[in-house]
C-alpha cells in the first residue's frame, strides 16, 4: 500500500517501527537500505538513522526522519500517520 509520505516499516526482533521512507539527505528509499539491529543505513551515501526514533546517527544526512506510532491489530500493522489540518 502506498502512503504519502512514503513510510518504511521495520521489524526489529518482533517489534515494529515506522519511519519516513525518504532519506533526508538525497531522497533515497530507506526501505532499500541496510539494517543492523535498530539502525538503518541509507543505500546511497550511507547515512544512518535510528529505526526507533528517526534520529540521524551518522552523516551525510543532518535532519531526522519522522517516526510514527505503530499498533498491531491481529496480523495487521497499523501506522498512525497524522493528517495535515484542513484549512478553516
Ligand atoms: S540519499 Fe541517503 S545518505 Fe544520501
Amino acid at each position: 500500500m502506498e502512503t504519502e509520505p512514503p513510510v518504511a516499516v521495520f521489524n526489529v526482533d518482533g517489534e515494529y517501527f515506522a519511519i519516513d521512507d525518504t532519506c533526508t539527505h538525497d531522497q533515497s528509499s530507506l526501505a532499500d537500505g541496510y539494517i543492523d539491529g535498530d539502525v538503518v543505513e541509507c543505500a546511497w551515501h550511507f547515512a544512518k538513522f535510528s529505526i526507533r526514533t528517526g534520529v540521524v546517527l551518522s552523516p551525510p544526512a543532518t535532519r531526522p526522519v519522522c517516526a510514527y506510532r505503530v499498533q498491531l491489530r491481529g496480523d495487521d500493522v497499523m501506522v498512525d500517520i497524522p493528517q495535515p489540518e484542513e484549512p478553516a
Side-chain angles (χ1 to χ4, degrees):
M1 178 178 162
E2 290 189 26
T3 60
E4 189 59 42
V7 170
V9 177
F10 298 93
N11 177 341
V12 179
D13 297 328
E15 194 174 359
Y16 289 88
F17 298 92
I19 59 176
D20 281 336
D21 183 49
T22 306
C23 180
T24 57
H25 176 243
D26 196 15
Q27 309 286 307
S28 179
S29 166
L30 294 177
D32 292 337
Y34 310 104
I35 298 170
D36 183 10
D38 62 357
V39 174
V40 59
E41 183 179 53
C42 180
W44 278 9
H45 311 107
F46 312 116
K48 293 181 180 178
F49 297 87
S50 167
I51 289 172
R52 294 177 184 274
T53 66
V55 299
V56 176
L57 300 173
S58 73
T62 58
R63 292 175 291 120
V65 290
C66 288
Y68 302 100
R69 197 165 61 101
V70 173
Q71 293 181 339
L72 289 180
R73 290 193 196 149
D75 292 335
D76 295 326
V77 178
M78 311 297 289
V79 179
D80 185 7
I81 302 173
Q83 298 299 307
E85 296 204 17
E86 295 192 16

